[in-house]
Structure formats: C-alpha cells, structure tokens
Short mmCIF file of all heavy atoms in Angstrom, two decimals:
data_model
loop_
_atom_site.label_atom_id
_atom_site.label_comp_id
_atom_site.label_asym_id
_atom_site.label_seq_id
_atom_site.Cartn_x
_atom_site.Cartn_y
_atom_site.Cartn_z
N THR A 1 90.09 111.57 109.89
CA THR A 1 91.23 111.82 109.03
C THR A 1 92.49 112.21 109.84
O THR A 1 93.55 112.01 109.31
CB THR A 1 90.91 113.06 108.13
OG1 THR A 1 90.14 114.01 108.83
CG2 THR A 1 90.06 112.74 106.92
N SER A 2 92.38 112.65 111.04
CA SER A 2 93.54 113.11 111.81
C SER A 2 94.62 112.07 111.98
O SER A 2 95.73 112.37 111.77
CB SER A 2 92.99 113.68 113.07
OG SER A 2 92.23 114.88 112.87
N PRO A 3 94.38 110.91 112.44
CA PRO A 3 95.33 109.84 112.63
C PRO A 3 96.14 109.53 111.37
O PRO A 3 97.43 109.51 111.33
CB PRO A 3 94.57 108.63 113.06
CG PRO A 3 93.25 109.12 113.73
CD PRO A 3 93.03 110.35 112.86
N VAL A 4 95.38 109.52 110.25
CA VAL A 4 96.00 109.13 108.98
C VAL A 4 96.94 110.24 108.53
O VAL A 4 98.10 110.12 108.09
CB VAL A 4 94.96 108.95 107.83
CG1 VAL A 4 95.63 108.46 106.51
CG2 VAL A 4 94.00 107.77 108.32
N ILE A 5 96.49 111.52 108.61
CA ILE A 5 97.27 112.69 108.28
C ILE A 5 98.45 112.80 109.10
O ILE A 5 99.64 113.17 108.59
CB ILE A 5 96.36 113.99 108.33
CG1 ILE A 5 95.31 114.04 107.29
CG2 ILE A 5 97.29 115.17 108.27
CD1 ILE A 5 94.39 115.15 107.39
N SER A 6 98.31 112.48 110.47
CA SER A 6 99.54 112.59 111.32
C SER A 6 100.62 111.61 110.98
O SER A 6 101.80 112.05 111.00
CB SER A 6 99.13 112.33 112.81
OG SER A 6 98.75 110.97 113.02
N ASN A 7 100.30 110.47 110.47
CA ASN A 7 101.33 109.47 110.02
C ASN A 7 101.96 109.88 108.67
O ASN A 7 103.15 109.79 108.55
CB ASN A 7 100.68 108.05 109.79
CG ASN A 7 100.73 107.22 111.06
OD1 ASN A 7 101.49 107.56 112.02
ND2 ASN A 7 99.91 106.17 111.01
N ILE A 8 101.16 110.58 107.81
CA ILE A 8 101.75 111.10 106.60
C ILE A 8 102.81 112.17 106.96
O ILE A 8 103.86 112.22 106.40
CB ILE A 8 100.69 111.72 105.68
CG1 ILE A 8 99.85 110.51 105.14
CG2 ILE A 8 101.34 112.36 104.54
CD1 ILE A 8 98.57 110.89 104.46
N ILE A 9 102.36 113.10 107.85
CA ILE A 9 103.27 114.22 108.24
C ILE A 9 104.49 113.81 108.86
O ILE A 9 105.54 114.40 108.68
CB ILE A 9 102.38 115.25 109.11
CG1 ILE A 9 101.41 115.96 108.26
CG2 ILE A 9 103.31 116.21 109.78
CD1 ILE A 9 100.40 116.86 108.92
N MET A 10 104.38 112.76 109.65
CA MET A 10 105.53 112.25 110.46
C MET A 10 106.45 111.32 109.69
O MET A 10 107.46 110.89 110.34
CB MET A 10 105.04 111.57 111.73
CG MET A 10 104.30 112.46 112.74
SD MET A 10 105.48 113.73 113.46
CE MET A 10 106.63 112.78 114.37
N ARG A 11 106.12 111.05 108.47
CA ARG A 11 106.91 110.00 107.73
C ARG A 11 108.38 110.43 107.58
O ARG A 11 109.29 109.65 107.78
CB ARG A 11 106.19 109.72 106.33
CG ARG A 11 106.98 108.62 105.63
CD ARG A 11 106.26 108.32 104.24
NE ARG A 11 106.96 107.13 103.73
CZ ARG A 11 108.00 107.21 102.88
NH1 ARG A 11 108.59 108.36 102.65
NH2 ARG A 11 108.53 106.10 102.44
N ASP A 12 108.62 111.63 107.10
CA ASP A 12 109.99 112.14 106.96
C ASP A 12 110.73 112.14 108.25
O ASP A 12 111.94 111.74 108.35
CB ASP A 12 110.05 113.51 106.29
CG ASP A 12 109.65 113.48 104.80
OD1 ASP A 12 109.49 112.40 104.27
OD2 ASP A 12 109.30 114.45 104.42
N PHE A 13 110.15 112.56 109.41
CA PHE A 13 110.64 112.52 110.67
C PHE A 13 111.04 111.06 111.10
O PHE A 13 112.25 110.83 111.58
CB PHE A 13 109.70 113.12 111.67
CG PHE A 13 110.15 112.98 113.14
CD1 PHE A 13 110.95 113.86 113.79
CD2 PHE A 13 109.75 111.82 113.94
CE1 PHE A 13 111.33 113.70 115.06
CE2 PHE A 13 110.06 111.53 115.18
CZ PHE A 13 110.94 112.52 115.82
N ASP A 14 110.12 110.17 110.98
CA ASP A 14 110.39 108.78 111.28
C ASP A 14 111.58 108.27 110.43
O ASP A 14 112.44 107.49 111.08
CB ASP A 14 109.17 107.98 110.97
CG ASP A 14 107.98 108.11 111.95
OD1 ASP A 14 108.29 108.59 113.07
OD2 ASP A 14 106.82 107.86 111.71
N CYS A 15 111.55 108.47 109.23
CA CYS A 15 112.70 107.95 108.41
C CYS A 15 114.03 108.55 108.77
O CYS A 15 114.99 107.78 108.83
CB CYS A 15 112.36 108.20 106.89
SG CYS A 15 111.02 107.21 106.31
N THR A 16 114.06 109.83 109.06
CA THR A 16 115.26 110.43 109.55
C THR A 16 115.73 109.83 110.82
O THR A 16 116.98 109.41 110.95
CB THR A 16 115.15 111.98 109.67
OG1 THR A 16 114.90 112.51 108.35
CG2 THR A 16 116.43 112.57 110.22
N VAL A 17 114.90 109.78 111.84
CA VAL A 17 115.17 109.41 113.11
C VAL A 17 115.43 107.81 113.11
O VAL A 17 116.40 107.26 113.69
CB VAL A 17 114.15 109.75 114.22
CG1 VAL A 17 114.45 109.04 115.63
CG2 VAL A 17 114.11 111.23 114.31
N GLY A 18 114.65 107.06 112.42
CA GLY A 18 114.70 105.66 112.29
C GLY A 18 115.98 105.24 111.61
O GLY A 18 116.69 104.29 112.07
N GLY A 19 116.29 105.95 110.52
CA GLY A 19 117.67 105.60 109.85
C GLY A 19 118.83 105.82 110.77
O GLY A 19 119.71 105.06 110.67
N TRP A 20 118.81 106.99 111.50
CA TRP A 20 119.93 107.24 112.39
C TRP A 20 120.01 106.16 113.47
O TRP A 20 121.07 105.72 113.77
CB TRP A 20 119.62 108.60 113.10
CG TRP A 20 120.68 109.11 114.00
CD1 TRP A 20 121.72 109.95 113.67
CD2 TRP A 20 120.84 108.85 115.47
NE1 TRP A 20 122.56 110.18 114.68
CE2 TRP A 20 121.97 109.52 115.85
CE3 TRP A 20 120.07 108.10 116.33
CZ2 TRP A 20 122.32 109.49 117.18
CZ3 TRP A 20 120.44 108.16 117.67
CH2 TRP A 20 121.69 108.80 118.02
N CYS A 21 118.83 105.73 113.99
CA CYS A 21 118.87 104.62 114.97
C CYS A 21 119.29 103.26 114.44
O CYS A 21 120.13 102.58 115.04
CB CYS A 21 117.50 104.49 115.61
SG CYS A 21 116.87 105.82 116.68
N ASP A 22 118.85 102.92 113.21
CA ASP A 22 119.19 101.65 112.59
C ASP A 22 120.70 101.56 112.45
O ASP A 22 121.27 100.55 112.64
CB ASP A 22 118.53 101.61 111.20
CG ASP A 22 117.03 101.36 111.27
OD1 ASP A 22 116.54 100.99 112.36
OD2 ASP A 22 116.34 101.56 110.25
N ALA A 23 121.40 102.74 112.01
CA ALA A 23 122.86 102.78 111.83
C ALA A 23 123.62 102.53 113.11
O ALA A 23 124.72 102.15 113.19
CB ALA A 23 123.24 104.03 111.31
N ARG A 24 122.95 102.62 114.32
CA ARG A 24 123.52 102.53 115.58
C ARG A 24 122.92 101.36 116.39
O ARG A 24 123.26 101.16 117.55
CB ARG A 24 123.38 103.82 116.46
CG ARG A 24 124.21 104.97 115.81
CD ARG A 24 123.64 106.32 116.21
NE ARG A 24 124.45 107.34 115.71
CZ ARG A 24 124.39 107.85 114.38
NH1 ARG A 24 123.51 107.29 113.60
NH2 ARG A 24 125.22 108.85 113.97
N GLY A 25 122.18 100.56 115.79
CA GLY A 25 121.66 99.30 116.44
C GLY A 25 120.57 99.69 117.57
O GLY A 25 120.47 98.95 118.49
N ILE A 26 119.84 100.80 117.33
CA ILE A 26 118.86 101.19 118.25
C ILE A 26 117.45 100.92 117.67
O ILE A 26 117.27 101.22 116.49
CB ILE A 26 119.01 102.71 118.61
CG1 ILE A 26 120.34 103.07 119.09
CG2 ILE A 26 117.88 103.10 119.58
CD1 ILE A 26 120.70 104.60 119.18
#
C-alpha cells in the first residue's frame, strides 16, 4: 500500500510544482 499512498499524498504537491514548471517551460 505504501507506494500507492505516497503518490496520492504527493498529488497536490506535484500539481503545484508541475504547474509552476509548465508555465516556465521546465
């Protein structure tokens, strides 16, 4: 269960950081 849960928990972080990067071509 641990890997699956870690992805669920990190989803908001990924979307925040990923969105910031997408806006800057990173």
Side-chain angles (χ1 to χ4, degrees):
T1 41
S2 295
V4 185
I5 290 174
S6 71
N7 271 344
I8 293 171
I9 288 172
M10 292 297 290
R11 186 175 187 275
D12 290 344
F13 170 89
D14 284 341
C15 291
T16 298
V17 173
W20 185 91
C21 289
D22 289 344
R24 292 160 178 79
I26 304 170

